[in-house]
């Protein structure tokens, strides 16, 4: 549902970077079930003619990549390009709470804050990084990590979905009007194990 909240708030020329679990983000942005399923199956009717597969979707201003945290600096690069061209577009990326262990995230937040980039980082916090509980790996507060770089934060959850829609729209508007980064944490849940091999 997080993808729906973001997609509803964005404009057509805004850029979106998703991750290796981004099927819902893609569907929320385009509603293109046939293109997605065709791509997952390696068919020519797929959004990337079957060449990108499940993790590497690209259409218009939508991109995805399977490298954990690797999309964040690329999204900041697009945010910088949008700012330099004065397009009024923002760049949004989706990360999971497991990405909080990646140095590229913090390097990007530092640069985005320093350079006033129109960058939105949406953290889908489902309490697990693959099969590892957040209680085993994460110290401190999630939003405080972004605040340490002078980045404004917001906090929503998927149980109060009407509030999530309004709060995400407000976040997108703020990034666009201020040309400053924001970090929006959305608490959610995982319906089942990450993979068949999960020991929990």
């Amino acid at each position: 549902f997080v993808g729906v909240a973001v997609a509803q708030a964005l404009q057509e020329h805004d850029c979106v970077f998703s991750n290796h679990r981004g099927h819902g983000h893609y569907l929320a942005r385009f509603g293109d079930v046939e293109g997605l399923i065709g791509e997952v199956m390696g068919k020519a009717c797929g959004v990337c003619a079957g060449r990108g597969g499940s993790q590497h979707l690209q259409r218009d201003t939508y991109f995805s990549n399977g490298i954990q945290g690797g999309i964040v600096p690329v999204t900041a690069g697009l945010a910088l390009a949008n700012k330099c061209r004065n397009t009024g577009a923002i760049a949004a990326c989706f990360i999971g709470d497991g990405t909080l262990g990646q140095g590229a995230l913090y390097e990007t937040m530092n640069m985005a804050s320093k350079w006033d980039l129109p960058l939105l980082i949406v953290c889908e916090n489902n309490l697990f990084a693959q099969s590892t509980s957040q209680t085993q790996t994460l110290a401190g507060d999630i939003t405080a990590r972004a605040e340490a770089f002078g980045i404004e934060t917001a906090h929503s959850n998927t149980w109060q979905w009407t509030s999530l829609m309004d709060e995400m729209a407000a976040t997108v508007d703020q990034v666009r009007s201020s040309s400053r980064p924001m970090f929006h944490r959305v608490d959610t849940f995982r319906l089942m194990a990450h993979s068949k091999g999960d020991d929990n």
Side-chain angles (χ1 to χ4, degrees), residues 2 93 95-97 100 120-127 134 138 140-147 152-159 164 167-168 171 182-188:
V2 182
C93 69
I95 64 170
D97 49 292
L100 297 169
L120 169 60
I121 300 172
V122 178
C123 178
E124 295 178 290
N125 176 36
N126 69 10
L127 307 178
Q134 194 176 95
L138 197 63
D141 180 76
I142 291 175
T143 53
R145 293 165 186 246
E147 291 165 356
E152 191 172 339
T153 64
H155 185 188
S156 305
N157 68 69
T158 55
W159 294 273
L164 168 60
E167 289 157 3
M168 190 60 71
T171 293
M182 276 194 73
F183 184 99
H184 198 132
R185 167 186 169 184
V186 182
D187 294 334
T188 186

Side-chain angles (χ1 to χ4, degrees), residues 34-124:
E34 182 179 332
L36 174 63
I37 299 301
E39 189 61 34
V40 170
M41 296 178 66
K43 302 285 189 182
C45 65
V47 63
C48 299
R51 295 184 182 96
S54 177
Q55 295 186 19
H56 303 101
L57 302 173
Q58 191 278 316
R59 175 175 167 181
D60 302 328
T61 55
Y62 179 96
F63 310 88
S64 68
N65 191 295
I67 299 174
Q68 186 76 333
I71 59 170
V72 186
V74 180
T75 312
L78 274 175
L80 176 60
N82 287 333
K83 180 174 182 167
C84 290
R85 293 175 183 154
N86 199 26
T87 64
I90 73 167
C93 69
F94 292 91
I95 64 170
D97 49 292
T99 309
L100 297 169
Q102 298 295 320
L105 171 65
Y106 302 102
E107 294 166 355
T108 302
M109 287 196 293
N110 182 58
M111 291 172 61
S113 182
K114 201 77 180 141
W115 295 350
D116 294 327
L117 300 184
L119 171 68
L120 169 60
I121 300 172
V122 178
C123 178
E124 295 178 290

Side-chain angles (χ1 to χ4, degrees), residues 97 125-139 190 199-200:
D97 49 292
N125 176 36
N126 69 10
L127 307 178
F128 281 89
Q130 195 162 332
S131 58
T132 305
S133 169
Q134 194 176 95
T135 59
Q136 296 178 271
T137 60
L138 197 63
R190 192 165 72 178
D199 54 10
N200 56 4

